[in-house]
Amino acid sequence: MKLRFGDFVRTKKDCGDSRAGCDAMVVDNFDDENGQEVALTFGCDRYNTIQRVQCVGPELWNKSELDLETVY
């Protein structure tokens, strides 16, 4: 699945990160040979509610760590 700039997607609850189960906004979708990496930012969720998570700028995430059924 190709994620687009501005899409929101939720991290999997078992991804092993402090932001497990949080929303993130797609800021870049890297077209590597497998199309598996995406740059995300955290802060506000898809309803513009502030999430209590640290956000230091775009982060590279693997799509296997994301719940792709939650794309909005």
Side-chain angles (χ1 to χ4, degrees):
M1 165 182 253
K2 176 109 172 151
L3 298 170
R4 298 171 303 194
F5 177 82
D7 283 346
F8 280 88
V9 64
R10 192 160 291 137
T11 59
K12 289 183 177 177
K13 291 183 180 182
D14 63 351
C15 72
D17 188 272
S18 63
R19 289 161 298 209
C22 291
D23 278 340
M25 186 175 76
V26 176
V27 294
D28 201 348
N29 194 353
F30 296 94
D31 289 324
D32 65 344
E33 64 272 1
N34 298 319
Q36 294 301 307
E37 294 182 332
V38 61
L40 304 174
T41 60
F42 294 84
C44 291
D45 67 9
R46 65 187 71 211
Y47 305 108
N48 203 30
T49 302
I50 295 173
Q51 302 180 104
R52 303 275 187 240
V53 295
Q54 182 178 10
C55 179
V56 294
E59 299 177 12
L60 195 59
W61 282 67
N62 190 288
K63 288 183 182 175
S64 67
E65 300 171 299
L66 308 176
D67 184 354
L68 297 176
E69 294 180 15
T70 66
V71 174
Y72 173 76

